[in-house]
Amino acid sequence: MSTTQSERLRGLLEPLVSAKDLDLEEIEVSRAGRRRMLRIIVDSDEGVELDACAELSRAISDKLDETDAMGDEEYVLEVSSPGADRPLTEHRHYVRATGRLVKFQLHEAGDLVARILSVDDEGLDLEVPGVKGRKPTARRVTFGDIAKARVEIEFNRKDKKEEEA
C-alpha cells in the first residue's frame, strides 16, 4: 500500500476508531486473488470485544462507500484485534503488557525473557524469573536497549481477577 493511500485511510478511519474508544494499530491492504483485502487492526487498554469489531466494521464500510479511498476495485474488509503474538512497538503496547511475560531481543545483550512490572517514559522495570530454584531478579531496561519485544504465551498464567480475589 502506498504511503499516500495509507495516510489517507488513516486520516479517514482514525476518527471512527477513536469514537469507539479504540486505538488504530495498523492498516494493511493486500491482494487476495482478484480482490484486495483491507485489514484494520484496533486495540484498547481493556482489549476489544467481537461486538465492537462488528460495529466498527459497519461504520468503516459505510465511510469507505461514501468515498473513493479504496478506488473502484472490489475489496474485503476485516476489522480485528491484534494477535497475542504481535510485536510490542509502542509505549502503550508495553503498558498493556504489564504483568505479562515478554521475550526481548536487546541490541547489545542478546535475548531476555522477563515479566513487565512497570512502565515509564524511559523504559521498563522487569522481573527475570529465577532458574533452578533461584529467586527472580529485578532488571531495568530502557526503550533504546530493545530491538524487538513480543509477549510470550503462558497457558498457566493467573488472570489478574484471580490474583485480586
Side-chain angles (χ1 to χ4, degrees):
M1 173 171 63
S2 70
T3 304
T4 308
Q5 184 183 25
S6 176
E7 290 169 358
R8 185 170 181 207
L9 284 170
R10 185 168 285 279
L12 187 67
L13 302 179
E14 200 140 35
L16 296 173
V17 174
S18 295
K20 302 282 186 193
D21 293 325
L22 299 170
D23 296 319
L24 180 56
E25 294 291 345
E26 188 177 336
I27 297 173
E28 178 187 323
V29 177
S30 60
R31 282 264 171 222
R34 294 185 314 205
R35 294 185 185 169
R36 289 179 299 160
M37 169 74 82
L38 173 59
R39 183 171 287 122
I40 310 293
I41 307 295
V42 297
D43 202 4
S44 79
D45 291 343
E46 294 79 36
V48 182
E49 294 191 8
L50 187 58
D51 289 344
C53 284
E55 286 177 31
L56 185 58
S57 179
R58 285 189 289 276
I60 289 172
S61 180
D62 291 345
K63 186 61 134 179
L64 291 174
D65 288 347
E66 293 171 9
T67 69
D68 65 345
M70 290 299 292
D72 295 332
E73 291 182 67
E74 290 183 24
Y75 65 92
V76 175
L77 174 63
E78 178 183 300
V79 177
S80 66
S81 62
D85 64 343
R86 72 118 179 255
L88 305 177
T89 57
E90 302 285 334
H91 184 271
R92 69 179 174 265
H93 299 164
Y94 291 98
V95 171
R96 290 175 185 156
T98 300
R100 305 288 304 267
L101 198 62
V102 175
K103 181 176 183 180
F104 297 92
Q105 287 182 350
L106 304 176
H107 288 293
E108 311 241 343
D111 290 351
L112 170 68
V113 176
R115 190 169 307 281
I116 298 176
L117 298 177
S118 65
V119 180
D120 59 34
D121 291 339
E122 287 81 41
L124 314 166
D125 290 316
L126 306 173
E127 179 183 76
V128 181
V131 181
K132 296 184 181 177
R134 294 187 182 148
K135 291 184 179 181
T137 57
R139 179 158 179 190
R140 175 81 181 166
V141 174
T142 64
F143 289 115
D145 295 334
I146 301 170
K148 292 181 182 179
R150 189 176 301 270
V151 170
E152 290 283 284
I153 306 299
E154 295 178 85
F155 293 106
N156 59 354
R157 177 176 173 257
K158 288 186 180 177
D159 191 352
K160 288 180 186 177
K161 293 174 187 171
E162 288 178 30
E163 292 175 3
E164 291 171 2

